[in-house]
Amino acid sequence: MSFRRGPLNSSRDEDTATLTLTLNKVLEELRQVSNHEWAARSIQAGLRPENTWGVSVPNIRKIAKSIGRDHSLAQEVWDSKIHEAMILACMIDVPDL
């Protein structure tokens, strides 16, 4: 699944995106690349089991690259309180806001 959108006129002009992404689509993509063994290691390292899916950072980076910058989506993804989703939110947020 690719979230690539058309070019934006401005990083703040989110309404011109050619594809509106939803939180559910992003979480579904994260869930598809989750790994139970990776989640178990993360839980052993101290992450909460209910908020850890076991998605590697390289996979999170790939998803972030396919999404691009989107401040409002980043806020929604952050509010999910899922560890890997919060990392993704940091990667897709618009840095100058």
Side-chain angles (χ1 to χ4, degrees):
M1 174 182 281
S2 177
F3 295 120
R4 180 57 71 185
R5 298 177 299 167
L8 299 177
N9 295 334
S10 161
S11 61
R12 295 178 191 211
D13 193 8
E14 297 166 346
D15 294 332
T16 61
T18 59
L19 176 63
T20 302
L21 299 176
T22 64
L23 174 64
N24 290 337
K25 288 180 184 177
V26 172
L27 295 180
E28 177 184 322
E29 182 72 12
L30 283 170
R31 188 63 96 168
Q32 287 178 359
V33 295
S34 65
N35 181 323
H36 297 292
E37 292 175 14
W38 190 267
R41 280 189 251 153
S42 298
I43 292 165
Q44 285 178 338
L47 296 180
R48 293 179 161 179
E50 65 272 8
N51 296 339
T52 303
W53 289 357
V55 181
S56 67
V57 172
N59 281 330
I60 296 171
R61 284 188 190 125
K62 288 176 189 174
I63 295 169
K65 186 175 180 180
S66 71
I67 294 171
R69 299 284 183 182
D70 189 330
H71 179 67
S72 60
L73 180 61
Q75 288 178 319
E76 288 183 49
V77 172
W78 180 269
D79 290 341
S80 72
K81 302 299 183 201
I82 297 165
H83 182 263
E84 294 86 350
M86 293 171 76
I87 295 170
L88 177 67
C90 294
M91 293 177 179
I92 66 171
D93 202 0
V94 179
D96 60 337
L97 289 182

